[in-house]
Amino acid sequence: MNVKIVTALLILAVATILALVSVLLFVSKTKSCNSGTQKTFLKHNDQSLIFADLTREELDQVVAYLKNNIKENLVDISKADPSSNCIYSVELLPPSKKDALLYLDKGGPKPRREAMAVVYFGSHSEPEIKEYVVGPLPNPTYKNDVTLQRYKGKLPYHRRPVIGSEYKQIRQHFLLKEYPKAKSFLKEVLGYNESDSEYFAALTSAPRGFASGERQTWFGIFFNSQGSGFFLHPTGLELLFNHKNLDCNKWSVERVFYNGEYLQSLSELEEKYKKGQLKVVKMKKPHREDDIASLNPQKSSVSDIPLQYEPQGARYSIKNNQVLFHHWSFAFGVNVNRGLRLYDIKFKGERIVYELSIQEAISVYGSNAPTGMSTRYMDGHFGIGRSIFQLVRGIDCPYLATFIDTHYLLDSDNPVLNKGSICIFELNTGIPLRRHFSSLGSSYYGGLANTVLIIRTIATLGNYDYVFDFMFYQNGAIESKVSATGYISTSFFMDGGAQHGNRVGPYTLGTIHTHFINYKVDLDVGGINNSLVAHDMEFQDQVVPWNPEWKLQQTMLTKKVLTSENQAAFQQHGPMPRYMQFASKQRNKWNHERSFRIQMVSFAGDYLPEKSSVHNAMNWAKYKLAVTKHKEEEQTSSSIYNQNDPWSPTVQFSNFINNENIQDEDLVAWITTGFLHIPHAEDIPNTVTVGNGVGFYLRPYNYFNEDPSVFSEDAVYFQPHEDLSSCSVNPLACLSQTASCTPNAPPFTYNGLDNEYIVL
């Protein structure tokens, strides 16, 4: 054999051996990140199950029990007509606070597990809505009609939320009875293809009319561009539809609007068009290359997005519906109407919050077209909780987050699964929670990375996506935050449109609107009974003690205990003390009241004037903060029935504020945060979350004797004489030995597109 060949083979063999040795050495040092080594200071218990959402099996049991025990014909809601009887929703009925605390704190009996069911009775001579308490679960034996007890009267049928079958019936009416009346106009002006039933999409307005009992809805007609948001493609055509009658055959279009002109019908529109008396803008359904709403990136590569992982496994633990993280523990669930809610939030075993929950989200729009100008959406009516669809791993939440499924039954024949619709993860925020480098007096460094636990849902309510976060900090603080993204809602751009927003497309006006989000915070600081204390500052003139010829303006602390609900109701944009505390009678080591401070982050727009006929239906938005005495009959600030009858609201929040004593009582804070959105070109195709996040903090204020994070095992401290490469001094120096690992990433899966969303 040739010497050169032998030499080359030997060199190749040596190189191969060296490569194998290197790989073996590397693999031996590389550890797999074990997600099963949860490191928590607390232990799980099953008490949180009293707040757990109904299981699929329990939902089925309630439906079966109602069908067997309501002696009337209950049809599947997917097949229901307005005159039918059907089950609208079933959800958990949480126990009363009194019963829950007796069980949680004093070893009392476990509260009965019950469901709340909403049933439509369209066949009655006087159609109505009824609410039933069904229990005990898992094997129900009773159904109690609590409608009169809860609402002091019957629930009028016209207040019922619109269901999917009603929307489908409206859509069929448009396709079969209305669009044929304007064949020439639709084909020649808007390029309508009769054989394409998906050519147009309709966006509903709400409320539906201007007086109690009405059910007239303006629908904006949009080009239904496949694979992108139709919300950015208005056609200029809008229809006012009367669907009050329980006989669908008697429904009708009452008015028509096109490009600034109001007409009586589509027949009149067609006639004026043929006579050349109609000002038209000829348009075509957008194609992929000119679709301003497309989210399809021109260049796609997500493989190099930085990922976050836990080098030694997750530091939080989840069992059933209970989460443990360092010294935190809480129970979680989702209300099908209102969304994410937490219960029994404790730090180091002490309850701080009994309930922290989303209550309602509203949007009030402006436009020079009827659908936009009349829209006041109350999202709880449409179902915030049922709209939390599957989250995308690595985009909506960190790739290695824990994803949790949810079930609901609302406007559906059977329980619906939303896979992976809650995510929980620990996040390194990239900024120190606290730190100091000292070069005065002595040299040292002390710091603590700010890692927080986040529980997140994202509710997609038509065009908008709300990212709801509850965040838990190592210093004992809780943050509630909502960030907005998704598509803006638009109107056809016409003369005068610039007074209501900005032009963002060839025929598209981004319409001005407000967002308000309301939260319920049932704080129990150092026990159930608290008082509301306001701290602030003022300047007082003071003679300089060492030189009476001079004066200075001295900063002084002010303190006031607010004793009534009226004193504790602060309207949007009105003055409010900057430190608002829920204070207990307990004292810390320094003899201060143990308290938690409410600190808000908001840039809300103006709320509707009192002269508005729908003002009272959502007047919680009038208050940035209101504190009331806890009452079982004041559980929610809004109602799913308010949207379709805001003129006689089922729940009027301002009635909660009736000057009752709030000193040394069980108190509830109702917090409203929000933002004004004037859409602009950069909202195309999507609104970004940057700058669109608002919320509030619950911060310890003399609750502890010092910052509890000082005891965190994550803290680092070192001085010049110490060996900073020593693991005992600086754990971060030992990452190569203690935390060098590759994340054990689960495969990427996504089933969210399996969930059907109804579009007219």
Side-chain angles (χ1 to χ4, degrees):
M1 186 179 289
N2 188 295
V3 176
K4 290 184 178 180
I5 295 176
V6 172
T7 303
L9 289 173
L10 287 172
I11 293 172
L12 181 61
V14 171
T16 302
I17 291 170
L18 289 174
L20 288 172
V21 170
S22 298
V23 168
L24 289 171
L25 288 172
F26 177 79
V27 170
S28 67
K29 289 183 178 180
T30 303
K31 301 176 182 179
S32 176
C33 297
N34 183 4
S35 61
T37 58
Q38 288 97 359
K39 185 178 179 182
T40 59
F41 298 95
L42 306 171
K43 292 184 179 180
H44 284 286
N45 59 60
D46 292 333
Q47 289 185 319
S48 65
L49 289 173
I50 65 173
F51 304 115
D53 295 336
L54 298 182
T55 65
R56 184 185 187 95
E57 293 72 24
E58 288 174 324
L59 291 168
D60 283 333
Q61 288 165 351
V62 173
V63 170
Y65 183 81
L66 289 173
K67 286 185 175 181
N68 289 331
N69 289 274
I70 291 179
K71 304 304 180 183
E72 301 188 51
N73 181 31
L74 290 179
V75 304
D76 288 343
I77 197 166
S78 64
K79 302 170 184 174
D81 290 320
S83 58
S84 301
N85 304 329
C86 60
I87 299 170
Y88 173 67
S89 67
V90 177
E91 60 177 325
L92 173 76
L93 177 64
S96 69
K97 184 176 181 180
K98 178 182 177 182
D99 290 345
L101 294 184
L102 183 63
Y103 168 68
L104 294 173
D105 298 343
K106 298 181 180 179
K110 186 176 182 179
R112 285 183 296 184
R113 189 160 169 81
E114 296 177 318
M116 176 64 72
V118 176
V119 183
Y120 292 177
F121 290 97
S123 70
H124 287 189
S125 57
E126 185 182 342
E128 61 184 321
I129 308 165
K130 288 189 177 183
E131 294 190 350
Y132 293 93
V133 173
V134 181
L137 297 176
N139 299 303
T141 59
Y142 58 82
K143 59 169 183 59
N144 298 327
D145 183 351
V146 295
T147 314
L148 292 176
Q149 173 189 334
R150 299 187 82 192
Y151 302 107
K152 313 306 179 189
K154 289 187 175 183
L155 276 173
Y157 197 55
H158 64 263
R159 295 183 186 177
R160 72 193 187 280
V162 176
I163 59 177
S165 64
E166 187 173 352
Y167 280 127
K168 288 179 181 178
Q169 289 155 349
I170 294 171
R171 183 171 178 272
Q172 286 299 108
H173 187 104
F174 286 177
L175 287 171
L176 302 178
K177 295 185 178 181
E178 296 300 333
Y179 293 161
K181 296 177 181 177
K183 281 188 176 182
S184 299
F185 168 81
L186 292 177
K187 182 177 180 179
E188 296 171 16
V189 177
L190 302 179
Y192 179 52
N193 179 2
E194 292 181 63
S195 64
D196 182 3
S197 62
E198 305 293 330
Y199 191 87
F200 291 133
L203 186 64
T204 182
S205 66
R208 307 178 190 281
F210 282 93
S212 293
E214 290 188 356
R215 206 171 180 84
Q216 296 187 59
T217 305
W218 275 104
F219 289 97
I221 308 302
F222 292 75
F223 290 116
N224 189 17
S225 180
Q226 295 299 310
S228 70
F230 68 81
F231 315 100
L232 302 187
H233 300 302
T235 64
L237 178 65
E238 303 184 18
L239 308 177
L240 177 61
F241 194 66
N242 188 339
H243 48 121
K244 176 182 177 180
N245 200 293
L246 300 189
D247 183 352
C248 303
N249 295 315
K250 296 181 179 178
W251 292 353
S252 61
V253 169
E254 301 288 313
R255 297 294 296 275
V256 173
F257 174 85
Y258 175 70
N259 193 20
E261 186 173 351
Y262 289 90
L263 306 108
Q264 294 299 321
S265 66
L266 281 169
S267 298
E268 183 187 355
L269 176 77
E270 176 83 343
E271 182 182 353
K272 293 194 71 171
Y273 169 68
K274 287 182 175 179
K275 292 180 178 179
Q277 298 173 349
L278 191 69
K279 181 182 178 183
V280 301
V281 177
K282 293 193 174 184
M283 303 168 64
K284 293 182 179 180
K285 188 174 182 178
H287 298 290
R288 181 174 298 180
E289 60 273 11
D290 59 1
D291 187 350
I292 63 172
S294 176
L295 298 180
N296 189 18
Q298 295 181 0
K299 189 175 182 180
S300 179
S301 174
V302 297
S303 60
D304 58 351
I305 293 176
L307 298 179
Q308 177 173 308
Y309 65 96
E310 300 103 348
Q312 294 182 351
R315 307 198 303 176
Y316 58 90
S317 177
I318 306 169
K319 180 184 176 184
N320 298 320
N321 67 321
Q322 186 183 56
V323 179
L324 306 180
F325 172 67
H326 291 301
H327 296 291
W328 288 106
S329 68
F330 60 87
F332 67 90
V334 174
N335 177 278
V336 68
N337 298 302
R338 295 184 292 278
L340 186 62
R341 57 185 177 187
L342 306 184
Y343 284 98
D344 200 26
I345 302 173
K346 294 181 178 179
F347 188 85
K348 290 189 174 182
E350 289 189 296
R351 183 178 299 107
I352 295 170
V353 180
Y354 175 75
E355 179 186 352
L356 172 56
S357 59
I358 304 161
Q359 291 290 295
E360 181 67 281
I362 63 172
S363 297
V364 176
Y365 279 84
S367 173
N368 58 343
T371 301
M373 73 173 65
S374 61
T375 290
R376 285 91 176 90
Y377 287 136
M378 304 179 208
D379 290 331
H381 165 92
F382 298 96
I384 298 172
R386 73 118 165 228
S387 302
I388 58 167
F389 302 109
Q390 185 174 4
L391 299 164
V392 175
R393 189 181 292 275
I395 306 295
D396 294 331
C397 307
Y399 200 95
L400 295 179
T402 300
F403 292 84
I404 297 169
D405 300 343
T406 58
H407 291 89
Y408 74 85
L409 195 147
L410 182 147
D411 194 10
S412 55
D413 299 335
N414 300 295
V416 178
L417 166 67
N418 275 338
K419 285 182 66 67
S421 50
I422 298 176
C423 70
I424 298 175
F425 56 95
E426 185 179 2
L427 177 70
N428 187 326
T429 63
I431 188 172
L433 180 64
R434 51 176 176 76
R435 60 91 68 189
H436 181 65
F437 173 77
S438 175
S439 60
L440 297 175
S442 62
S443 296
Y444 60 88
Y445 173 85
L448 176 63
N450 187 17
T451 64
V452 298
L453 184 82
I454 300 177
I455 179 168
R456 170 178 295 169
T457 60
I458 303 180
T460 301
L461 292 144
N463 56 307
Y464 256 103
D465 297 66
Y466 289 108
V467 183
F468 289 106
D469 288 339
F470 292 133
M471 308 164 67
F472 296 85
Y473 291 80
Q474 291 197 55
N475 71 324
I478 303 169
E479 181 183 0
S480 297
K481 185 176 182 179
V482 54
S483 305
T485 177
Y487 288 101
I488 58 174
S489 187
T490 66
S491 293
F492 190 74
F493 185 80
M494 304 172 291
D495 291 343
Q499 293 180 309
H500 305 279
N502 288 307
R503 188 176 186 177
V504 294
Y507 310 106
T508 306
L509 172 69
T511 51
I512 185 172
H513 57 280
T514 58
H515 294 270
F516 293 93
I517 301 93
N518 187 243
Y519 292 85
K520 177 183 180 182
V521 189
D522 187 345
L523 279 156
D524 288 345
V525 181
I528 294 177
N529 291 357
N530 293 147
S531 296
L532 187 65
V533 180
H535 277 109
D536 214 318
M537 62 165 285
E538 65 180 13
F539 286 104
Q540 291 185 1
D541 289 342
Q542 178 177 318
V543 174
V544 176
W546 60 92
N547 189 340
E549 296 181 4
W550 296 94
K551 287 185 178 180
L552 55 78
Q553 286 67 48
Q554 177 72 299
T555 308
M556 304 292 289
L557 173 69
T558 64
K559 177 180 178 180
K560 182 179 181 181
V561 179
L562 306 182
T563 59
S564 71
E565 290 177 336
N566 288 34
Q567 287 182 324
F570 297 95
Q571 295 191 18
Q572 296 284 355
H573 313 302
M576 186 178 82
R578 279 161 280 205
Y579 276 59
M580 300 295 299
Q581 293 129 238
F582 269 53
S584 71
K585 286 187 174 182
Q586 296 179 3
R587 299 274 171 166
N588 71 357
K589 181 179 178 180
W590 316 113
N591 200 34
H592 293 297
E593 297 165 322
R594 298 184 70 203
S595 307
F596 257 75
R597 175 190 175 194
I598 297 172
Q599 180 179 338
M600 285 171 283
V601 179
S602 178
F603 43 97
D606 295 336
Y607 179 58
L608 287 167
E610 290 193 12
K611 61 185 177 182
S612 166
S613 62
V614 301
H615 172 94
N616 287 335
M618 40 191 174
N619 63 12
W620 51 262
K622 179 179 177 180
Y623 306 96
K624 53 188 170 185
L625 173 67
V627 177
T628 63
K629 185 177 177 179
H630 176 274
K631 292 180 180 178
E632 287 298 328
E633 62 270 25
E634 295 178 352
Q635 285 296 309
T636 61
S637 60
S638 187
S639 168
I640 60 172
Y641 310 118
N642 281 13
Q643 178 73 89
N644 286 344
D645 191 1
W647 310 281
S648 300
T650 304
V651 173
Q652 182 173 327
F653 175 75
S654 57
N655 290 339
F656 292 12
I657 304 168
N658 52 9
N659 215 32
E660 289 193 71
N661 173 62
I662 59 169
Q663 191 168 6
D664 194 27
E665 296 282 356
D666 188 1
L667 304 181
V668 177
W670 308 87
I671 300 174
T672 298
T673 189
F675 44 93
L676 168 66
H677 190 180
I678 305 174
H680 45 87
E682 291 78 12
D683 284 310
I684 304 300
N686 248 168
T687 293
V688 297
T689 56
V690 178
N692 286 322
V694 294
F696 60 92
Y697 294 87
L698 305 175
R699 298 177 57 186
Y701 186 85
N702 289 322
Y703 184 82
F704 303 103
N705 297 324
E706 67 278 298
D707 175 12
S709 73
V710 73
F711 301 106
S712 172
E713 295 182 359
D714 297 342
V716 298
Y717 175 83
F718 41 77
Q719 301 180 71
H721 65 272
E722 295 177 306
D723 180 6
L724 302 187
S725 63
S726 167
C727 297
S728 61
V729 174
N730 178 19
L732 295 176
C734 300
L735 286 176
S736 59
Q737 288 81 35
T738 63
S740 178
C741 68
T742 55
N744 184 19
F748 182 91
T749 59
Y750 184 66
N751 309 95
L753 299 178
D754 295 344
N755 293 87
E756 181 183 0
Y757 189 81
I758 297 171
V759 177
L760 268 66

